[in-house]
Amino acid sequence: MPFVKTQDGTEIFYKDWGTGQPLVFHHGWPLSGDDWDAQMMFFLSKGYRVIAHDRRGHGRSSQTDSGNEMDTYAADVAALAAHLDLKDAVHIGHSTGGGEVTRYVARHGGNGRVAKAVLIGAVPPVMVKSDANPGGLPLEVFDGFRAALVANRAQFYVDVPAGPFYGFNRPGAKVSQGVIDNWWRQGMAGGIKAHYDCIKAFSETDFTEDLKAIEVPTLVMHGDDDQIVPIADSALLSVKLLKKGTLKVYPGLPHGMCTTHPDTINADLLAFIQS
């Protein structure tokens, strides 16, 4: 299987299919590159080169006990981009992956490597509540995530997709057991220590200066019924910090809208990439 080895010896698994302009997909917590199946197949059919990696500690990559924070995540992506010699790439990140894209593009995206960026249901600017971010979620919410993870990771990884992640807890929702099981499968493939550390990375990292530093056109996509990353303290703030930001809000759609509504998301992604 294809891996790139980073400076600290971590092996990052990746999929690299097709030819043409490269599209790099960055997954959310605690998933893997498999979460992008619907996008990978669609854009492959449209003649693009599609790449998805498993973040360190996730999926098929090394189950790391260190480096599970945004600076290292971004450096890992830079190692992958150098290994594959990516140029004029579009980096597309969901949730935690949106934070990874933000830091990578801000710090490593020069020299023609990055053409555009997309943030979908993404965690920037910062999730946790503070005096500087009064609209954020209280730290106790994320402490609860950590406690649930340690107490019974397998059950927690059923409860999240069966409930708020895909909006399956909403009245009248069309629930897919296969989608829930696939979320569980991806999550359980990773390492609990890396997943535990990543909760701090996605909730407490402040991406404000990264957003301000991004020079390329950036599309911010967010469902207004996102129960995992509430839109008011994420997308609505991020787009104001971006030099070339465009916001697209999806009424009633959940956090996992790339999976629940792929036709809608793929069409809008294609339009932005081609614009």
Side-chain angles (χ1 to χ4, degrees):
M1 296 196 295
F3 290 90
V4 58
K5 185 172 285 191
T6 67
Q7 286 188 334
D8 68 355
T10 298
E11 291 193 321
I12 302 296
F13 171 83
Y14 66 92
K15 295 178 276 192
D16 180 8
W17 307 334
T19 58
Q21 184 180 15
L23 311 181
V24 184
F25 294 93
H26 305 241
H27 64 80
W29 176 94
L31 305 173
S32 74
D34 292 354
D35 200 44
W36 292 105
D37 283 356
Q39 285 68 47
M40 296 277 282
M41 293 301 288
F42 174 81
F43 285 100
L44 185 64
S45 75
K46 297 294 182 183
Y48 289 91
R49 179 184 179 187
V50 294
I51 299 156
H53 66 289
D54 295 354
R55 186 174 302 113
R56 64 169 52 214
H58 296 64
R60 290 140 293 201
S61 294
S62 300
Q63 291 198 8
T64 47
D65 70 343
S66 62
N68 305 308
E69 34 71 27
M70 282 293 165
D71 287 352
T72 304
Y73 294 160
D76 290 348
V77 176
L80 176 65
H83 176 70
L84 298 178
D85 194 25
L86 300 181
K87 301 286 176 60
D88 196 35
V90 180
H91 284 263
I92 301 164
H94 174 243
S95 196
T96 301
E100 182 177 274
V101 167
T102 300
R103 181 138 298 178
Y104 166 74
V105 174
R107 297 193 179 182
H108 305 279
N111 302 315
R113 290 219 181 270
V114 178
K116 294 179 180 179
V118 183
L119 309 179
I120 307 175
V123 297
V126 59
M127 286 193 73
V128 75
K129 184 177 182 178
S130 66
D131 291 342
N133 186 41
L137 295 171
L139 181 62
E140 290 77 18
V141 171
F142 305 107
D143 287 342
F145 287 178
R146 282 181 276 263
L149 186 74
V150 171
N152 189 341
R153 181 168 67 132
Q155 185 59 49
F156 186 45
Y157 286 2
V158 172
D159 296 341
V160 174
F165 198 93
Y166 296 110
F168 290 161
N169 56 346
R170 295 304 197 206
K174 184 180 179 182
V175 177
S176 168
Q177 188 62 46
V179 165
I180 295 168
D181 292 347
N182 190 43
W183 202 100
W184 184 91
R185 175 191 68 83
Q186 292 177 72
M188 293 304 292
I192 188 170
K193 173 63 162 60
H195 289 177
Y196 185 94
D197 293 349
C198 189
I199 294 171
K200 181 180 179 70
F202 75 65
S203 63
E204 297 184 38
T205 304
D206 189 340
F207 298 97
T208 299
E209 297 306 316
D210 300 294
L211 291 163
K212 291 177 181 178
I214 292 174
E215 302 284 349
V216 298
T218 304
L219 176 62
V220 180
M221 309 167 78
H222 218 104
D224 73 359
D225 193 34
D226 190 323
Q227 301 172 66
I228 303 294
V229 182
I231 189 171
D233 199 57
S234 54
L236 300 188
L237 301 180
S238 289
V239 73
K240 296 176 182 177
L241 297 169
L242 290 159
K243 292 184 176 74
K244 300 177 182 177
T246 301
L247 175 66
K248 192 163 183 66
V249 177
Y250 296 83
L253 293 200
H255 188 61
M257 63 186 182
C258 294
T259 297
T260 60
H261 295 78
D263 292 348
T264 299
I265 301 306
N266 291 348
D268 288 347
L269 281 173
L270 182 63
F272 173 69
I273 292 165
Q274 293 181 337
S275 65

